[in-house]
Amino acid sequence: MKAVRAALRLKSLTSFSSSTRKSTFILNRYYSAQPEEHPLHPNPEEHPYEAAFDSSHFDLDDAGGGGGDNNTDGGGKETTWDEKYRDRVKSKVFGEDVSHFRIYKREEEKNRKAAQAMSLLEAALDEPEEEEVDVMDVKDEDQKSLSVGIIGAPNAGKSALTNNIIGTKVSAVSRKINTTTHEVLGVLTKGVTQICFFDTPGLMLKKSGIPYSDIKVRNESAWSSISYYDVLIVIFDVHRHLTRPDSRVVRLIERMGSISGTSQKRVLCMNKVDLVTKKNDLLKVATEFKDLAGYEKQFMISGLKGAGVKDLTRYLSEQAVKRPWDEDPFVMSEEVMKNISLEIVREKLLDYVHQEIPYGIEHRLMSWKELRDGSLRIEQHFITHKISQRKILVGKNGSKIGRIGVEANEELRSIFKRHVHLILMVKVK
Ligand SMILES: Nc1nc2c(ncn2[C@@H]2O[C@H](COP(=O)(O)OP(=O)(O)OP(=O)(O)O)[C@@H](O)[C@H]2O)c(=O)[nH]1
C-alpha cells in the first residue's frame, strides 16, 4: 500500500470540468485530430514501427499548458463569419456534406447549456457545507486519516464511484469489463480529514465461493491487500442482480459479509440504483443481505450519477481516525501522474475502438521525462498481436490513433496544468 505514495492536488483537479470543456471543443478536435502529413512517412500504415501519433505534429490550443489558466470554458474560439455561408461553400465547391457536423455542434451546444443549467440548479439546491478548515492550516496533531478499499465484480462500478468521490478521472470508466488493470490511488483531503481510496481490480470467486486458483498475480495481491484497509466497500450492480443475478457476485457479497469481528469496517453498496425503476425492488435486495453481520451499513448509490454518494462520503469521513496524513495534499506524485496518463489514454482508446479490439492488446508506458522547460514528454506503446488489430487502432492514415492522442493530450494538459508532449506508438508483437 505504501508503494504508491501520492496525493491529488484537489482544488486544482476538481476545478477541471471535462463535460463543459468537451462540449465546445469537440468540433475543433474532430478537424484538428486529422494528422498532418507524417514528416518521415506520409502513410504511417506502411511503416508499422514509426510513431503513430506525436502531439508535436498538432497545433493545439494551449488550454492547460504552461502552468497557466486551466481553460475549462471550452477554449473554442467563436467564428466571426456566418457558419451557413461557409457550409454552403463547402458543399457547393468541395462537395462536402457538412450538415451532420452542424447538427452535431448544435446538439453539443444544447447539451452543454443543459449541463450548465443543471449544475447551477444543483449548486443552488445544495445544502450549505460546513465551513471548512483550509488544509494549509491543519496542524499534524489535528489530522485524521482513513484508508478505503473498494471491491466488487468486474463492471460493478468501482472506478465510476472512485471518480465521483475524488472528483477527477482516476480510473478509466468503460462499458467493457476489467478496465482496471492495477490499483489506482485517489486521495480526498477535505478540512482535517484525508481519505485514501484503493480501487481494486475486479475480483471474483468461483461458484463454490473459493478464489480461482489460477488467478493472476494482480488478483492475488488484491485479495491479500484488502485486509489492510480501515474500511472496505463491497459494491455490486443492483440492476444486474435484479435482472440477471450472478451466483459468484452473491458469493462475494456473502463471503465479505460473513467475516465479522475484525477491526475493519465493511459496507455494502448497491450501485446503479438509477437503472432500477421499481424502487421497491431495492428494498427487496436490501432485505436479502440484511443478515450479513460483517456489514456495518448498506448504501444505495449511483456512482455514475452521484445519488447517495454524498451520504457514503459523509459516513467515510466520520470513520476517519486521528492519524497523520499519509499523503501530501498538495503534490501529485509522479506515480499517480503516470497512472493517470495511462488511464486517460486507455479511456480514449476504449471510446474509439469499442467492439473492434479485444483485450489482448498491451498498453505500456515506455518513457516519462520532465523536460527543462517544465513540460512532460510521455511515450506510450500499444502492442497488438496481429497486423489487422494494428490497422484498426491506427485507422486510415493514422486518423484513429490521432484522435485518441489529441483528446488524451488535451485532457492530460488540463489535469497536469503544463505542456504535454504525448507520443503513442502502435506495434505488432
Ligand atoms: N447507469 C449506471 N451506470 C454505471 C454506474 N456506475 C458505473 N456504471 C457503468 O458501468 C460500467 C462499468 O463501470 P466501471 O466503473 O468501469 O466498473 P469497474 O467495477 O471499475 O470495472 P472493472 O475495472 O472491470 O473492475 C461503465 O459503463 C459505467 O459507466 C451507475 O451508478 N449507474
Side-chain angles (χ1 to χ4, degrees):
M1 183 157 72
K2 296 273 177 194
V4 186
R5 308 275 307 169
L8 299 176
R9 186 168 188 164
L10 267 165
K11 280 193 175 150
S12 52
L13 281 178
T14 45
S15 67
F16 157 62
S17 151
S18 68
S19 57
T20 9
R21 188 175 48 73
K22 259 184 189 167
S23 54
T24 43
F25 186 69
I26 209 152
L27 197 70
N28 292 343
R29 193 173 54 195
Y30 190 89
Y31 288 120
S32 66
Q34 305 306 315
E36 288 173 6
E37 203 163 66
H38 198 285
L40 298 173
H41 304 293
N43 183 2
E45 282 190 59
E46 287 168 14
H47 301 274
Y49 300 105
E50 295 297 340
F53 169 81
D54 184 328
S55 64
S56 65
H57 299 165
F58 295 86
D59 186 21
L60 296 167
D61 288 345
D62 200 14
D69 290 339
N70 182 8
N71 189 357
T72 53
D73 64 5
K77 291 185 193 102
E78 287 298 321
T79 49
T80 51
W81 59 81
D82 188 332
E83 301 270 359
K84 276 187 296 203
Y85 296 119
R86 175 148 290 217
D87 287 352
R88 216 178 294 162
V89 171
K90 276 189 179 161
S91 66
K92 288 257 179 324
V93 182
F94 302 110
E96 286 178 24
D97 177 14
V98 289
S99 53
H100 58 287
F101 290 136
R102 196 63 55 227
I103 294 166
Y104 191 35
K105 195 181 177 186
R106 269 205 303 273
E107 280 295 307
E108 280 293 318
E109 185 58 17
K110 228 168 79 186
N111 290 344
R112 188 181 67 80
K113 285 191 176 149
Q116 242 172 17
M118 187 54 90
S119 64
L120 283 173
L121 185 67
E122 275 169 11
L125 295 175
D126 230 356
E127 56 194 71
E129 297 264 335
E130 270 174 45
E131 200 160 320
E132 227 170 69
V133 189
D134 192 323
V135 287
M136 286 281 283
D137 302 331
V138 180
K139 296 188 198 111
D140 286 3
E141 59 270 26
D142 295 332
Q143 292 175 354
K144 288 179 159 188
S145 298
L146 191 79
S147 66
V148 178
I150 307 179
I151 182 175
N155 243 19
K158 300 178 292 295
S159 307
L161 175 64
T162 311
N163 295 345
N164 197 309
I165 295 178
I166 303 296
T168 186
K169 284 182 179 165
V170 179
S171 324
V173 179
S174 84
R175 253 164 286 148
K176 297 192 172 185
I177 58 162
N178 266 317
T179 59
T180 312
T181 48
H182 47 83
E183 279 189 32
V184 180
L185 172 75
V187 180
L188 179 69
T189 312
K190 246 184 151 192
V192 297
T193 306
Q194 181 173 81
I195 308 176
C196 296
F197 292 91
F198 297 85
D199 186 12
T200 63
L203 295 180
M204 285 305 283
L205 296 169
K206 280 201 280 192
K207 286 209 171 18
S208 59
I210 299 162
Y212 286 100
S213 53
D214 60 343
I215 47 176
K216 296 183 188 103
V217 178
R218 69 184 181 90
N219 276 9
E220 274 167 11
S221 73
W223 276 111
S224 59
S225 68
I226 55 170
S227 59
Y228 296 120
Y229 307 123
D230 297 321
V231 173
L232 187 71
I233 294 177
V234 179
I235 186 170
F236 70 103
D237 178 341
V238 69
H239 178 252
R240 161 116 204 227
H241 182 70
L242 285 162
T243 47
R244 286 171 295 137
D246 182 339
S247 59
R248 289 165 304 172
V249 171
V250 176
R251 295 274 178 204
L252 180 77
I253 295 169
E254 287 174 349
R255 179 181 146 134
M256 293 299 145
S258 61
I259 311 164
S260 58
T262 63
S263 59
Q264 183 181 65
K265 295 201 168 159
R266 294 186 176 181
V267 294
L268 184 62
C269 281
M270 297 181 205
N271 191 34
K272 308 196 188 180
V273 294
D274 54 298
L275 298 177
V276 180
T277 39
K278 287 192 209 146
K279 300 302 169 199
N280 250 353
D281 287 349
L282 295 174
L283 295 177
K284 276 188 217 151
V285 180
T287 312
E288 187 184 339
F289 298 121
K290 77 173 187 346
D291 294 330
L292 294 169
Y295 297 117
E296 192 180 273
K297 243 171 136 42
Q298 287 190 1
F299 289 90
M300 296 181 191
I301 60 162
S302 168
L304 195 68
K305 305 275 161 91
V309 174
K310 230 176 179 178
D311 283 347
L312 176 63
T313 312
R314 194 175 301 131
Y315 165 82
L316 294 174
S317 302
E318 285 163 9
Q319 308 312 312
V321 289
K322 275 232 160 124
R323 191 170 68 208
W325 295 341
D326 275 339
E327 314 297 341
D328 181 341
F330 295 110
V331 180
M332 198 195 291
S333 80
E334 198 171 287
E335 194 74 29
V336 164
M337 288 170 81
K338 284 177 181 172
N339 278 341
I340 289 177
S341 84
L342 282 165
E343 296 288 356
I344 297 284
V345 172
R346 191 176 171 78
E347 188 188 52
K348 301 295 171 202
L349 170 86
L350 291 173
D351 279 351
Y352 280 103
V353 286
H354 252 330
Q355 284 116 18
E356 295 154 296
I357 289 238
Y359 271 98
I361 47 169
E362 287 169 41
H363 179 195
R364 292 190 200 146
L365 178 68
M366 302 306 287
S367 128
W368 178 277
K369 266 192 210 136
E370 188 161 345
L371 305 180
R372 269 197 210 147
D373 62 0
S375 66
L376 282 173
R377 185 188 177 281
I378 306 171
E379 184 173 331
Q380 299 183 8
H381 289 186
F382 292 108
I383 323 276
T384 64
H385 295 284
K386 296 180 198 153
I387 292 190
S388 58
Q389 290 177 343
R390 182 186 182 279
K391 275 192 174 162
I392 291 173
L393 245 181
V394 171
K396 198 163 190 296
N397 291 327
S399 60
K400 202 170 278 177
I401 195 74
R403 273 179 228 173
I404 293 166
V406 167
E407 289 189 19
N409 198 65
E410 174 66 17
E411 194 151 342
L412 290 172
R413 288 199 303 171
S414 190
I415 292 176
F416 298 154
K417 297 203 167 38
R418 58 171 98 178
H419 191 79
V420 173
H421 179 182
L422 177 67
I423 297 169
L424 300 178
M425 289 174 90
V426 189
K427 296 188 167 192
V428 183
K429 208 166 193 173

